[in-house]
Amino acid sequence: MEKFVVTGGKPLSGEVTISGAKNAAVAIIPAVILCDEPCQIENIPNISDVSLISRILQQMGANVRRINRSSLYIDPTKIRTCNAVTDLVRGMRASYYLLGALLGKYGRAKVALPGGCNFGVRPIDQHLKGFEALGAATQLVDGAIIEAECDNLVGTHVYLDVVSVGATMNIMLAASKAKGQTIIENAAREPHIVDLANFLNSMGADVRGAGTDVIKIRGVEYLHGVTYSIIPDQIEAGTYMCAAAATRGCITVKNITPKHLESISAKLREMGVKITEYDEALKVDASSAPLKRCNIKTMPHPGFPTDCQPQFAALLMSVPGTSIINENVWDNRYQYVSELIRMGAQISVEGRLAIIEGGTPLTAAPVKATDLRAGAAMIIAALEINGTTEISNIQFIERGYEDVVEKFRGLGADIKKVYFTGDNEQELGA
């Protein structure tokens, strides 16, 4: 069993360079299916989700090879099947982007229902609503596989009943080669949606309005190959910012887009953290002033991101006073709370609210990552504690954080990845 072993109790300091955005990469890589020529994607995060979606494309016949640590060459012209029903597909949530890409390119798709983190119901009804509005027939087969097929996709008007990042992106993919214009209303506005639109447009697509709640896509017949660089990861940056604040450290977060981090920076400033903004970096300094409690309400972008909610919960554990988190995106994102309680946190959950009594003494304890961002919260909590914490289920963390051990070590953290066999342990990568 692989675990992270963290000995905390000292402030972080130094610089950390942020990788490409996971949430953009796992949509842009399937989007290459739409292209009629090879593409090169740069600033790819070296994470397990990227490896999975790359292997899925290879299974379908695409030529996918890694040029270097952060660049992929993808030739989709040899794809020989529209079926993606293997265990690899079931292993990641973002595999549903294969539906929109395959439907847009070939007019048919057969994709297994995805897995990934489990923190609430994630229906894809809005995705299917969009596909059907474009003219596709969809069906659920054996409760585990989605089939979609059409003779011709035709531009249409789609109003999303709820703001859905996945549905917005999937409909964008399918509509990119549909005949005529598609209008998506009540669209999500996250930075990775804008990044997907920019990638599609760089290939010759006609997508306008990304970043607003109305997106217009006029279908085109041909998409040409490009070299494209993915945006920095907003949530990875927010995680290291939280960690610096939680340990009362001072770090510089590099290779970022500060505008994407405004909601996170605003909350840290409210707590008393000094944030200095540069062109592509932020300095996060929590070393001088005592931090204050705050309340957080997660919302679709540009509101506070749900993907930074667990990390802030770990931070607020260290701040005296009562803080309240109101989770407005997912129904069941507080599974991690029981793990923080094992460390001595005083947190109670009432429906969508988590009430945190911060400033209580914490102790090291064995904990597990219940999902990707919860795993990041476990690392942050462990860094606060004078003691050694073992974190299991680290495969969740490695889904979305590149070189997490090396990056935290670069900031002075005492963290290592070990392989446990019975009573023995061996450090990996030592």
Side-chain angles (χ1 to χ4, degrees), residues 267-337:
K267 277 297 168 186
L268 289 174
R269 285 190 175 107
E270 180 183 330
M271 295 176 67
V273 179
K274 185 179 178 181
I275 307 287
T276 306
E277 185 175 316
Y278 306 100
D279 287 343
E280 296 182 351
L282 287 175
K283 183 178 180 181
V284 182
D285 187 355
S287 61
S288 55
L291 299 190
K292 300 174 289 185
R293 55 157 296 280
C294 76
N295 296 332
I296 290 169
K297 183 176 183 179
T298 66
M299 297 289 288
H301 189 81
F304 189 90
T306 180
D307 278 358
C308 258
Q309 181 254 96
Q311 299 92 309
F312 261 78
L315 163 60
L316 292 169
M317 286 165 36
S318 71
V319 181
T322 303
S323 299
I324 299 174
I325 295 175
N326 187 344
E327 174 56 55
N328 275 285
V329 179
W330 298 117
D331 294 331
N332 190 24
R333 195 154 200 174
Y334 291 128
Q335 295 180 59
Y336 67 87
V337 166

Side-chain angles (χ1 to χ4, degrees), residues 250-410:
C250 178
I251 71 170
T252 299
V253 184
K254 302 170 66 177
N255 186 39
I256 61 167
T257 304
K259 183 173 178 59
H260 294 169
L261 296 163
E262 286 178 345
S263 61
I264 297 168
S265 297
K267 277 297 168 186
L268 289 174
R269 285 190 175 107
E270 180 183 330
M271 295 176 67
V273 179
K274 185 179 178 181
I275 307 287
T276 306
E277 185 175 316
Y278 306 100
D279 287 343
E280 296 182 351
L282 287 175
K283 183 178 180 181
V284 182
D285 187 355
S287 61
S288 55
L291 299 190
K292 300 174 289 185
R293 55 157 296 280
C294 76
N295 296 332
I296 290 169
K297 183 176 183 179
T298 66
M299 297 289 288
H301 189 81
F304 189 90
T306 180
D307 278 358
C308 258
Q309 181 254 96
Q311 299 92 309
F312 261 78
L315 163 60
L316 292 169
M317 286 165 36
S318 71
V319 181
T322 303
S323 299
I324 299 174
I325 295 175
N326 187 344
E327 174 56 55
N328 275 285
V329 179
W330 298 117
D331 294 331
N332 190 24
R333 195 154 200 174
Y334 291 128
Q335 295 180 59
Y336 67 87
V337 166
S338 60
E339 300 302 309
L340 294 181
I341 289 173
R342 291 167 62 89
M343 305 168 98
Q346 293 190 13
I347 306 176
S348 59
V349 175
E350 300 177 6
R352 290 184 174 271
L353 301 181
I355 303 163
I356 302 171
E357 299 294 341
T360 59
L362 303 174
T363 56
V367 294
K368 63 183 180 183
T370 56
D371 62 68
L372 167 59
R373 307 307 175 184
M378 295 305 117
I379 294 176
I380 292 171
L383 290 171
E384 299 173 19
I385 296 171
N386 286 307
T388 300
T389 300
E390 292 180 4
I391 304 170
S392 58
N393 285 6
I394 64 171
Q395 71 275 9
F396 284 114
I397 303 171
E398 292 176 333
R399 280 190 50 229
Y401 289 94
E402 176 179 341
D403 296 338
V404 66
V405 169
E406 292 78 6
K407 288 186 179 183
F408 271 115
R409 278 182 169 178

Side-chain angles (χ1 to χ4, degrees), residues 89 92-101 111-112 114 122-124 127 131 164-167 170 173:
V89 179
M92 65 176 295
R93 187 69 198 176
S95 59
Y96 54 37
Y97 293 127
L98 294 167
L99 281 166
V111 178
R122 285 186 168 191
I124 63 168
H127 305 234
F131 298 153
S164 167
V165 171
N170 236 341
L173 293 173

Side-chain angles (χ1 to χ4, degrees), residues 63-119:
N63 177 7
V64 182
R65 57 183 172 83
R66 190 170 286 276
I67 299 170
N68 55 46
R69 185 173 175 81
S70 60
S71 299
L72 284 179
Y73 169 90
I74 306 173
D75 182 355
T77 61
K78 300 294 191 294
I79 287 178
R80 60 184 180 271
T81 179
C82 293
N83 296 351
V85 294
T86 65
D87 288 340
L88 290 180
V89 179
R90 297 182 178 93
M92 65 176 295
R93 187 69 198 176
S95 59
Y96 54 37
Y97 293 127
L98 294 167
L99 281 166
L102 288 168
L103 190 60
K105 180 67 176 285
Y106 300 107
R108 63 187 185 279
K110 185 177 181 180
V111 178
L113 284 174
C117 293
N118 177 25
F119 43 75

